[in-house]
Amino acid sequence: MSELPACPKCTSAYTYQDAEMLICPECSHEWQLGDVTAQDEQIEIKDANGNILADGDSVTVIKDLKIKGSSSVVKVGAKVKSIRLVPDASDGHNIDCKIEGIGAIKLKSEFVKKV
């Protein structure tokens, strides 16, 4: 049995092969075996001030954000620790995080600033 490479996007070790493609079950990234451009692919996600964000950063919310389907609001100045970036988010919400008192939520990087 051959050893498959880790996902170049999220570094997950649980990749599997489907025909000629390699697929990551955790982030749904697909690439071809030996495709060097997929490993070099680097998308920068920036906060409201233009600072580059990285996984594990702490950020602060800069605007009151209403939570869809709920009466809760994320207040200005709410600190969010240990963010996880989602560079290929189709809906524009490119930050996964947990906010105390609210729970798991997705945010847009344009409404946060790096601490």
Side-chain angles (χ1 to χ4, degrees):
M1 186 172 180
S2 66
E3 185 73 24
L4 294 175
C7 175
K9 197 167 227 179
C10 70
T11 66
S12 170
Y14 301 111
T15 58
Y16 64 92
Q17 189 167 2
D18 184 21
E20 295 178 3
M21 300 294 289
L22 294 175
I23 302 169
C24 175
E26 292 185 14
C27 71
S28 302
H29 182 66
E30 297 180 2
W31 71 102
Q32 289 186 348
L33 188 59
D35 187 9
V36 191
T37 58
Q39 295 174 357
D40 294 336
E41 182 179 306
Q42 198 70 313
I43 298 173
E44 292 181 347
I45 296 177
K46 297 182 180 182
D47 68 357
N49 295 331
N51 298 319
I52 298 173
L53 297 173
D55 284 341
D57 281 347
S58 294
V59 295
T60 303
V61 178
I62 62 167
K63 177 183 175 184
D64 281 346
L65 302 172
K66 295 180 183 177
I67 299 174
K68 201 180 264 188
S70 174
S71 61
S72 300
V73 175
V74 179
K75 294 287 189 179
V76 172
K79 190 169 184 182
V80 183
K81 298 178 183 177
S82 300
I83 64 171
R84 181 174 169 261
L85 300 178
V86 185
D88 59 349
S90 60
D91 60 354
H93 294 84
N94 48 13
I95 297 175
D96 281 340
C97 60
K98 289 183 182 176
I99 299 178
E100 203 169 309
I102 295 175
I105 192 170
K106 292 183 176 186
L107 298 172
K108 292 185 177 183
S109 59
E110 61 203 48
F111 298 123
V112 298
K113 69 177 181 177
K114 191 173 182 177
V115 177

